Amino acid sequence: MASIDIQDIRKSFGAFSVLHGVDLTIRDGEFIVLVGPSGCGKSTLLRMIAGLEDVTSGDIRIDGKRVNDLAPKDRDIAMVFQSYALYPHMSVADNMSYSLKLRRTAKEKIASAVGGAAAKLGLDPLLERRPRALSGGQRQRVAMGRAIVRQPKAFLFDEPLSNLDARLREQMRAEIKKLHGDLHATSIYVTHDQIEAMTLADRIVAMHAGVVQQVGTPLDLYDRPANLFVAGFIGSPGMNFFEGRYLVSGDHADLRLANGVTLPVPRRAGIESGATATLGIRPEHVVLDAHGALEAKVDLIEPTGFGIIMHVSIHDVPMKIFTLDRAMLDPGPAVRVDLPQERLHLFGTQGQRVE
Amino acid sequence: MTLAAHPHAVRPLRKRIADASEPYLYSAPALILIIAVMLVPLVLGISYAFRDIQLLNPLSGGFIGLDHFRALSEDQAFFRALRNTLWWTGASVFLQFLFGLILALLLDKPFAGRGLAQALVFLPWAVPSFLAGLNWAWLFNPVIGPLPHWMHALGILDAPNNILSDPHLAMWGPIVANVWWGIPFFAITLLAALQAIPRDLYEAASIDGAGPVQRFLSITLPFLAPTIAITILLRTVWISNFADLIVVMTNGGPADRTQIVASYIFTQAFRRLDFGYASAIALVLLVLLLAYSMLIVLLRQTLLNKG
Ligand SMILES: Nc1ncnc2c1ncn2[C@@H]1O[C@H](COP(=O)(O)OP(=O)(O)OP(=O)(O)O)[C@@H](O)[C@H]1O
Ligand SMILES: [Mg+2]
């Protein structure tokens, strides 16, 4: 197990720059989840840590040792690929023991390591099979098994569950969490899936266009998103935004929208009166109240089974509401809502969070 | 008893025959064509082996049983040709494969101008074999070709002589020409097979701790094995039958040192005009190649079943 220290990492493919100076310190045993939209450089960062891509500039240290110029095999890390990348001509047991054989580990040790990993992952009955005779979920397990037999310093996962169906993904997610609880291995996990990110991570790293936007615990990112990007990216359905001008009058403040409507907002020290600002509120935090201050025209109702997503508009500004109230399946043409002050997020002109 | 008296008993029989022959009638045109095109020449050719057919002797043509084979079993020139064939085929296939594989591995790596290089590699394949043979014969000729002088300068040859006229070295001439000519076949087929190997397997292996050699042995080779088996089979059969270069460059000489079975057949048929004897030799070669092909196919099957 080891810490990983990334300092000002940059990466360009020819003239095309993908990562623009990423700094990240990962503590020993920590589970880090990298999230971000497609093409933002998550896989590239992961592959640079693994040694599969050259580092354009900056330093990567594993356990304090600079590894920029080390070959992947000398970094002592394991990686689980989205495609699993199992060796098709080897049995499950050989797939799992390949790395140990290359390291000339004693036969008995290999057998016990493979046996242990197989038992952990429920692969015992499959050890003699070839990968092509396995289901997607079983292949995924073999890929995990191949990573854990070796007890590497760190695990890297690149969207390991994205080829599985929803049910299986849920199950494997729980298993990965359990596995991490057992092994306490330093892990970096790339995913598109919000729930995976929220449930697995000790800390989430949100990336956008090759720049780290925020690093923090899942609840940090949910409760106090550092900027508009993170606010919009974390949470489903996504946060509602209202753009306007932040105006202070006396001891209270308002956001004046382009169409002239004003919404009351809490006073914040970090922003000047008159500056353009964006107000955010999560759909699940909008309160439906017959005596609410705002009228919302109902455009569309989406029942999800668990709850209801209501598409409404307030003075022609679209907004989503998430509610568990079944009565809202048939709310009529309009509802009244409140935007509780303590649930409002305010972002300044540059999209940064203001307190 | 007339047919009309038992219409019910007869019609089913006729119908049964019609039903049974229906599939054969449908496939007959194709089958007849295949038999006419493939089997008739083969059977005719085989039948020559058992007949006395000499073009200059109008009285020949009679059936003589196994006489040709008896003569063949005592024909030292034939056994020398058989040994030469082994040598010619083995060395050519091995070297073509080796260089083809190396070339394919090089072309598999990205580098500037790879597209052009891939196109150039194909070039020898497009050269007619007779032209290739003439070309190499000239290259080995000390009067007009540079090769003897270079080899002399490098100390490979004692004197800048034509290796094609040296009984101990002559076979190397056609082999070199053949290797040059046949490398593209291996390079292109192996390159196609190489490019079908998923890249992430190499990445997974390098993370698992495999160096370049181990990656080659545990990923590249197993993936290439079926292609290697089938291309080597094809090339072996092809090269052992391939007398063009030898006929052009050495014509079997000096002193029959480069005579292979295929060129020996050519010599028997078109120099000595003994078609019967030539057919007998061809039949022996056919049987040997069939046996070899069976062996390789079986080998490939067991490999695939294991895999
Ligand atoms: N070998 C390469 N050559 C050129 N550009 C590349 C190469 N690999 C990746 N890129 C570019 O780098 C950017 C980041 O790619 P990367 O694979 O890291 O994205 P990602 O965040 O993993 O996306 P996804 O979530 O879709 O997997 C993309 O714009 C991609 O086109
Ligand atoms: Mg990716």
Side-chain angles (χ1 to χ4, degrees), chain A residues 38-39 41-44 47 82 158-159 190 192:
Chain A
S38 193
K42 307 179 296 287
S43 299
T44 306
R47 292 165 56 81
Q82 180 176 358
D158 194 353
E159 305 191 30
V190 169
H192 276 129

Side-chain angles (χ1 to χ4, degrees), chain B residues 17-62:
Chain B
I17 293 174
D19 282 350
S21 59
E22 192 181 354
Y24 299 98
L25 290 176
Y26 279 131
S27 47
L31 283 178
I32 289 171
L33 214 65
I34 291 174
I35 288 171
V37 171
M38 288 183 63
L39 285 186
V40 169
L42 191 67
V43 170
L44 267 182
I46 290 176
S47 79
Y48 289 165
F50 302 95
R51 289 163 61 192
D52 176 29
I53 299 189
Q54 305 193 29
L55 281 196
L56 291 185
N57 183 354
L59 297 179
S60 68

Side-chain angles (χ1 to χ4, degrees), chain A residues 11-14 16-19 36-47 53 82 158-159 190-192 207:
Chain A
K11 173 72 187 176
S12 356
F13 292 104
F16 179 61
S17 178
V18 176
L19 293 179
S38 193
C40 71
K42 307 179 296 287
S43 299
T44 306
L45 180 59
L46 204 67
R47 292 165 56 81
E53 291 300 345
Q82 180 176 358
D158 194 353
E159 305 191 30
V190 169
T191 181
H192 276 129
M207 287 179 62

Side-chain angles (χ1 to χ4, degrees), chain A residues 12-244:
Chain A
S12 356
F13 292 104
F16 179 61
S17 178
V18 176
L19 293 179
H20 313 278
V22 170
D23 287 294
L24 189 61
T25 304
I26 300 166
R27 289 186 290 272
D28 187 10
E30 203 173 14
F31 201 110
I32 291 282
V33 174
L34 285 180
V35 295
S38 193
C40 71
K42 307 179 296 287
S43 299
T44 306
L45 180 59
L46 204 67
R47 292 165 56 81
M48 284 163 86
I49 297 171
L52 299 174
E53 291 300 345
D54 291 333
V55 176
T56 306
S57 78
D59 284 332
I60 300 176
R61 281 171 221 283
I62 298 179
D63 238 358
K65 185 171 156 216
R66 187 171 177 278
V67 296
N68 283 35
D69 304 316
L70 283 188
K73 70 188 181 84
D74 300 318
R75 298 191 184 196
D76 196 15
I77 38 100
M79 184 156 170
V80 178
F81 293 79
Q82 180 176 358
S83 59
Y84 312 140
L86 299 178
Y87 310 122
H89 52 288
M90 299 184 195
S91 67
V92 166
D94 288 340
N95 262 282
M96 298 200 338
S97 59
Y98 182 61
S99 60
L100 296 177
K101 280 189 193 135
L102 287 174
R103 286 177 170 70
R104 301 185 196 290
T105 314
K107 275 223 168 59
E108 314 79 64
K109 259 194 167 161
I110 293 182
S112 78
V114 170
K120 256 201 196 81
L121 293 160
L123 290 172
D124 281 321
L126 309 177
L127 283 177
E128 291 316 313
R129 294 226 201 138
R130 305 260 160 176
R132 87 171 110 80
L134 299 178
S135 74
Q138 290 166 336
R139 286 179 206 181
Q140 216 289 325
R141 270 167 222 268
V142 178
M144 302 273 294
R146 188 170 65 177
I148 63 176
V149 283
R150 215 171 86 206
Q151 303 184 326
K153 285 188 181 147
F155 291 107
L156 308 177
F157 301 88
D158 194 353
E159 305 191 30
L161 305 186
S162 59
N163 286 342
L164 304 182
D165 69 53
R167 173 85 27 224
L168 205 52
R169 205 180 306 173
E170 221 168 80
Q171 186 188 337
M172 285 309 295
R173 193 175 75 213
E175 279 187 35
I176 291 177
K177 180 133 192 165
K178 209 161 96 223
L179 215 56
H180 184 247
D182 288 349
L183 303 173
H184 289 292
T186 311
S187 308
I188 307 181
Y189 188 104
V190 169
T191 181
H192 276 129
D193 187 306
Q194 300 255 344
I195 313 214
E196 272 171 39
M198 297 300 274
T199 54
L200 288 173
D202 290 324
R203 285 191 301 157
I204 294 180
V205 176
M207 287 179 62
H208 179 46
V211 177
V212 172
Q213 305 289 321
Q214 185 172 8
V215 182
T217 64
L219 289 182
D220 267 350
L221 269 73
Y222 181 82
D223 290 337
R224 298 166 43 77
N227 55 35
L228 275 177
F229 170 78
V230 179
F233 193 78
I234 300 285
S236 170
M239 192 183 274
N240 299 301
F241 295 114
F242 301 92
E243 280 172 42

Side-chain angles (χ1 to χ4, degrees), chain B residues 17 20 31 48 70 105 108 117 133 144 166 236 274 286:
Chain B
I17 293 174
L31 283 178
Y48 289 165
R70 244 169 254 129
L105 289 173
D108 192 36
I144 40 178
D166 181 332
T236 308
D274 189 344
L286 176 75

